[in-house]
Amino acid sequence: MMKRALMSVSDKTGVAAFAKELQEAGFEIISTGGTKRTLNEAGVNVIGISDVTDFPEILEGRVKTLHPAIHSGLLAKQDDEAHMEALKEQGIQPIDLVVVNLYPFKETISKEEVFYEEAIENIDIGGPAMLRAAAKNHESVAVVTDPNDYTEILEGIHGGGIPSETRKRLAAKVFRHTAAYDALIASYLTEENNEEFPEALTLTYEKKQALRYGENPHQRAAFYQSSLQTTPSLTAAEQLHGKPLSYNNINDADAALALVSEFTDTAAAVAVKHTNPCGVGIGKRLLDAYTQAYAADPVSIFGGIVAFNETVDVETAEQCANIFLEVVIAPDYSADALAILQKKKNIRLLKVDMNGGQHASQVVSSVKGGVLVQDEDVKGLDNADVEVVTKRAPSADEWTNLELAWRVVKHVKSNAIVLTKGNRTVGVGAGQMNRVGAAEIAVHQAQADAKGSALGSDAFFPMRDTVETAVEAGVTAIIQPGGSKRDQESIDAADAAGITMIFTGMRHFRHA
């Protein structure tokens, strides 16, 4: 009995050449719809599904492969005499190879304007059913859903048979494929129903690249991207130069990209080390912004990640080239700037579309045995209930410093204190167990620049000691959420020193 292959694909890459080789190897081809037309046009002899089922395609093609003549051929154990006798009694021929990939649901919902009805019509029913049946019965039926696996299938056939380990591996790949497909559908319909935290969370990611190791050499790692791309995002970045990104590069670059995306009204440069900003600068020109970011902490920026929100020009590139940087991120680079930076062998240059701006999405963090899910923190001063709580209101320059401090502090690990002055950060206290400790670190880093600076805190002051530390250092303005039972003590301390303090009513804890 001639072997049979069932072919029905939306991605027709290489399918005609593959079918020709199958036919030459003694397979007869069953197919339907667009795949059948493609194969016929390529000169491949094809048996129509309706010729196998003796039943027409109906309901606009919704029902064509959902038939016992197909699924019995897929599910019969070919080494089981009873199964094969049952097929013989019903006049059904077994199917030996299934080549199926699914309706383009992801591509459909990725379009800017897609109608709900169009999305629903691109939910494949027969395809997943055939894939699952064949994958379940992989000892008898080889199944392939990825055109990249066609060559391995042909090598197996020409070598005397597809090995059992190959069938098993491809079966696992099929179930990952159908699971990811269903997860996208579930996610889309969940969003359509405005269900924010459903009873079951289905997530799917696609492998972007293998990594040499994780945070440390003894940890294995890989980088996966969301199936639906968003910008600005590292997963959508174009790498223009340098070695592949490491696990730590990706973590740090993601932090830098998130912070630089805060700035849409002025040129900005952000330097990040170990996911915390070590220097942030703004200015009328990108060079000015970078100069400020560098001056904020010329020690820590070495070996760090720098992100820009504007096209890198020659002057800025020349300054970046003066020190060792692991990664530079920007929406673009002038041709001459790129040439300058590409002379540095070990720098990685990323081009990231930043036109998407900040948008609310969900953040997923792993914990032992589960995940935590929360909305991304994209709120800023525009969303805050800002209140001047001291006798003195901020001056124009102090407002500028306060706004910068508030933008930066939400991207610093808690407990976090940021000092800003003259369009840059001058001190950053990150990840401390108590708030006054974070303030002391920021003040120590700022040194003389603490005088006349503004202080931003990601959470309220439980006691007045942070205000006292700020006053002693010469800070003249403070921005913090407020909300402590002892707020009045901090207000009194600020008033006694003649400094100004702003409450935002919004906390920015960042624990991971």
Side-chain angles (χ1 to χ4, degrees):
M1 185 180 297
M2 183 174 284
K3 288 185 175 293
R4 273 189 166 181
L6 191 161
M7 308 183 79
S8 179
V9 294
S10 61
D11 180 358
K12 294 178 175 55
T13 304
V15 71
F18 183 41
K20 284 182 179 179
E21 289 209 45
L22 289 175
Q23 202 165 56
E24 291 171 2
F27 279 77
E28 58 182 9
I29 311 296
I30 305 169
S31 191
T32 184
T35 305
K36 183 174 183 295
R37 287 193 297 273
T38 297
L39 298 182
N40 282 335
E41 290 168 1
V44 178
N45 295 323
V46 180
I47 302 170
I49 286 287
S50 295
D51 295 326
V52 176
T53 62
D54 196 26
F55 192 87
E57 294 184 17
I58 62 172
L59 307 180
E60 299 176 310
R62 283 189 170 197
V63 177
K64 48 195 173 189
T65 59
L66 297 170
H67 192 280
I70 298 298
H71 285 271
S72 297
L74 293 174
L75 287 165
K77 298 178 183 178
Q78 294 187 24
D79 59 354
D80 188 307
E81 291 184 11
H83 279 212
M84 297 308 289
E85 184 62 30
L87 290 190
K88 185 176 180 181
E89 289 176 2
Q90 299 299 326
I92 297 172
Q93 187 171 331
I95 295 170
D96 305 279
L97 173 64
V98 169
V99 183
V100 170
N101 49 60
L102 307 177
Y103 291 176
F105 183 79
K106 181 179 80 170
E107 291 75 10
T108 300
I109 64 173
S110 295
K111 294 188 296 188
E112 286 189 10
E113 294 184 8
V114 57
F115 293 108
Y116 179 76
E117 293 76 13
E118 183 184 1
I120 295 302
E121 284 306 311
N122 276 278
I123 297 176
D124 202 329
I125 301 300
M130 290 187 291
L131 285 174
R132 289 172 60 85
K136 175 177 179 175
N137 197 29
H138 60 269
E139 286 297 339
S140 296
V141 185
V143 56
V144 57
T145 190
D146 183 352
N148 292 319
D149 294 321
Y150 290 169
T151 298
E152 186 175 13
I153 291 292
L154 290 171
E155 288 174 352
I157 290 170
H158 294 318
I162 301 168
S164 177
E165 58 270 22
T166 299
R167 294 167 178 266
K168 186 176 181 181
R169 180 172 50 78
L170 292 178
K173 188 172 183 177
V174 161
F175 282 112
R176 291 195 299 271
H177 181 66
T178 57
Y181 191 79
D182 283 342
L184 276 178
I185 296 169
S187 177
Y188 174 78
L189 291 176
T190 298
E191 289 183 13
E192 285 292 309
N193 286 298
N194 296 315
E195 296 179 77
E196 294 182 345
F197 297 101
E199 78 290 342
L201 183 65
T202 53
L203 303 173
T204 181
Y205 297 89
E206 299 168 1
K207 190 173 182 179
K208 181 174 175 66
Q209 70 180 84
L211 300 174
R212 288 178 60 202
Y213 52 80
E215 285 183 291
N216 301 291
H218 61 275
Q219 294 171 275
R220 296 178 299 168
F223 184 26
Y224 287 80
Q225 64 185 30
S226 172
S227 294
L228 297 176
Q229 287 290 344
T230 59
T231 56
S233 165
L234 275 186
T235 58
E238 178 185 358
Q239 185 165 347
L240 304 178
H241 178 72
K243 297 180 294 184
L245 295 169
S246 71
Y247 184 98
N248 292 327
N249 288 156
I250 293 168
N251 251 342
D252 288 345
D254 184 62
L257 180 58
L259 177 47
V260 82
S261 297
E262 293 273 354
F263 300 93
T264 59
D265 52 354
T266 186
V270 170
V272 164
K273 201 74 171 286
H274 300 293
T275 72
N276 278 304
C278 57
V280 178
I282 57 176
K284 292 182 179 179
R285 300 183 305 154
L286 201 64
L287 177 62
D288 298 332
Y290 174 75
T291 301
Q292 295 281 23
Y294 177 84
D297 189 345
V299 175
S300 297
I301 195 174
F302 185 87
I305 278 77
V306 172
F308 298 103
N309 66 345
E310 294 182 1
T311 298
V312 176
D313 55 31
V314 168
E315 291 177 312
T316 306
E318 287 174 340
Q319 292 303 309
C320 288
N322 286 334
I323 63 169
F324 169 57
L325 296 174
E326 286 273 6
V327 182
V328 174
I329 306 165
D332 209 346
Y333 304 78
S334 73
D336 290 340
L338 186 61
I340 290 168
L341 292 171
Q342 285 178 329
K343 291 178 181 178
K344 297 182 73 68
K345 179 181 177 181
N346 292 322
I347 197 171
R348 299 160 173 90
L349 304 178
L350 301 182
K351 178 180 175 180
V352 179
D353 180 6
M354 297 186 187
N355 290 325
Q358 287 202 330
H359 60 282
S361 60
Q362 290 186 326
V363 178
V364 180
S365 303
S366 64
V367 295
K368 286 287 187 182
V371 295
L372 292 169
V373 182
Q374 66 172 345
D375 293 334
E376 186 177 0
D377 184 2
V378 297
K379 301 294 187 182
L381 276 181
D382 291 342
N383 310 105
D385 186 13
V386 177
E387 179 186 8
V388 179
V389 295
T390 49
K391 295 175 182 178
R392 185 172 77 79
S395 67
D397 287 343
E398 285 173 333
W399 267 120
T400 300
N401 289 333
L402 289 167
E403 289 172 357
L404 178 58
W406 193 247
R407 283 180 174 179
V408 175
V409 77
K410 87 174 190 183
H411 294 271
V412 179
K413 295 296 187 294
S414 299
N415 286 313
I417 296 291
V418 170
L419 300 183
T420 57
K421 180 182 177 182
N423 291 336
R424 67 179 172 94
T425 55
V426 294
V428 178
Q432 298 307 300
M433 287 66 73
N434 62 74
R435 193 153 301 281
V436 70
E440 288 169 349
I441 290 172
V443 165
H444 176 75
Q445 183 186 6
Q447 298 291 321
D449 281 328
K451 187 174 183 179
S453 69
L455 180 151
S457 174
D458 64 331
F460 64 61
F461 302 149
M463 291 176 282
R464 61 186 288 162
D465 51 2
T466 301
V467 176
E468 291 169 345
T469 298
V471 168
E472 185 178 350
V475 170
T476 64
I478 293 174
I479 186 167
Q480 59 130 320
S484 169
K485 292 180 180 180
R486 302 174 70 171
D487 273 345
Q488 192 58 50
E489 294 180 20
S490 294
I491 295 170
D492 291 343
D495 280 333
I499 72 172
T500 183
M501 186 157 62
I502 309 301
F503 282 4
T504 65
M506 180 185 296
R507 190 179 74 187
H508 284 307
F509 270 163
R510 191 175 187 85
H511 285 183

